[in-house]
Amino acid sequence: MLDNKMNDIHLETISISYFDKVIDHLRQTFFADEPLNKAVELTRPGQGHKLLELHCLSTLKDNVSVMAITNDGQIAGVALNGILRGNDDILQAMEKLNYVYDESFKKIFKLLYEQNLKIDLFNHFNVDKMFEIRILSVDTKFRGQGLAKKLIAKSEEVALEHNIKVIKTDATGAFSQRVVGSLGFVTKGEIKYKDYLDEQGDTIFVVDPPHEKLKIMCKIIN
Ligand code: ACO
């Protein structure tokens, strides 16, 4: 049965006509159940989140995202990808957080931007652009069947088409880390959530097991 379900799915890049459907898919999945979103209870399944939707839409506009879609037009999973053009992109995004009112959203992105700046991948790889897998999401009905792996592999093809040498992702949970690890991504930076503390020494993210750390993982492609 499962195999039949998977046979009905194909992968393609996401065009503008699918943007609304992609956002709707993410409202049912990633917005509520990505490990950090879940830790801060960013949304409930089905609910929207204005700032996260804007973040997704601005990523979609880079036109390098991919989706897994059933023959009857149902989105089974997505990898929303963007192109980063230097640390200035990260610094600008960080600066914008000063104008964000949603503290939960802010603390997630502060963690991601801080950790990326700390390891300075542009300098490490001596590149001026990188392909970033920002949002990886598979519908609960289709999980555990290798779809995330296929989305990453397809994203690598897209990165190659754009002549980008380094592909990176901020893998926030054990499953995404397993997926990209099995495809040859290596960890360039990591932090355990229990070690990420506020000024009072309290844990900022209490994340459900088996997820225990953020890993910034990369692969050189050519
Ligand atoms: N329990 C145990 N193991 C699991 C589970 C589970 N619930 N789900 C996946 N796995 C394992 C698989 O067995 C597989 O391991 P293996 O290759 O050693 O067999 C590995 O994790 C990946 O399996 P896939 O089938 O390729 O992944 P899937 O299609 O299920 O999608 C994903 C994984 C995208 C992480 C999905 O669980 C999801 O959408 N989660 C919610 C959102 C999220 O956390 N996204 C990633 C955040 S990081 C980022 O977006 C850059």
Side-chain angles (χ1 to χ4, degrees):
M1 257 335 259
L2 288 181
D3 280 341
N4 285 342
K5 211 158 62 174
M6 294 304 280
N7 284 342
D8 287 343
I9 294 175
H10 64 277
L11 276 83
E12 58 182 79
T13 51
I14 303 176
S15 61
I16 192 166
S17 57
Y18 280 98
F19 286 6
D20 284 349
K21 243 181 166 170
V22 168
I23 297 294
D24 198 47
H25 158 85
L26 293 170
R27 286 184 188 139
Q28 310 298 332
T29 58
F30 186 96
F31 286 8
D33 70 4
E34 178 278 331
L36 291 176
N37 292 350
K38 195 169 174 201
V40 300
E41 297 180 338
L42 197 69
T43 63
R44 280 197 295 273
Q47 249 184 8
H49 190 282
K50 221 170 222 167
L51 288 168
L52 202 46
E53 286 171 25
L54 284 173
H55 175 69
C56 293
L57 285 168
S58 93
T59 297
L60 281 164
K61 283 180 194 150
D62 274 0
N63 279 321
V64 287
S65 296
V66 300
M67 65 181 170
I69 185 162
T70 63
N71 288 343
D72 59 3
Q74 193 191 343
I75 293 186
V78 298
L80 300 200
N81 307 319
I83 297 174
L84 277 177
R85 293 183 169 80
N87 283 327
D88 276 357
D89 276 3
I90 304 173
L91 287 165
Q92 275 168 25
M94 203 152 172
E95 168 69 19
K96 281 190 193 154
L97 287 183
N98 291 326
Y99 304 98
V100 163
Y101 56 87
D102 182 324
E103 288 303 321
S104 298
F105 179 90
K106 203 166 173 167
K107 64 187 184 185
I108 293 173
F109 282 89
K110 185 167 176 282
L111 166 70
L112 301 182
Y113 297 149
E114 272 176 4
Q115 298 303 313
N116 273 277
L117 289 171
K118 203 192 263 180
I119 60 173
D120 192 357
L121 291 171
F122 288 102
N123 190 32
H124 177 80
F125 288 113
N126 192 22
V127 290
D128 55 12
K129 56 182 178 179
M130 283 190 290
F131 190 93
E132 183 173 56
I133 298 170
R134 281 188 200 143
I135 306 246
L136 178 66
S137 162
V138 170
D139 185 298
T140 47
K141 284 200 292 291
F142 297 99
R143 286 188 189 165
Q145 300 170 63
L147 207 47
K149 248 183 208 176
K150 289 189 176 141
L151 287 161
I152 302 288
K154 176 81 176 166
S155 299
E156 278 185 39
E157 285 173 22
V158 177
L160 266 180
E161 283 161 20
H162 284 73
N163 286 318
I164 301 182
K165 209 175 113 194
V166 176
I167 182 162
K168 67 147 291 233
T169 190
D170 300 334
T172 54
F175 305 143
S176 52
Q177 289 160 10
R178 217 143 100 187
V179 175
V180 297
S182 72
L183 291 170
F185 284 61
V186 294
T187 305
K188 289 293 176 185
E190 65 174 57
I191 184 163
K192 284 193 177 154
Y193 297 126
K194 73 173 179 49
D195 296 335
Y196 186 63
L197 309 174
D198 64 17
E199 278 156 17
Q200 285 74 46
D202 295 325
T203 309
I204 298 178
F205 298 104
V206 178
V207 183
D208 287 341
H211 314 297
E212 56 170 317
K213 52 178 90 161
L214 161 70
K215 285 187 176 187
I216 302 177
M217 300 179 75
C218 305
K219 182 173 177 179
I220 298 177
I221 45 170
N222 40 44

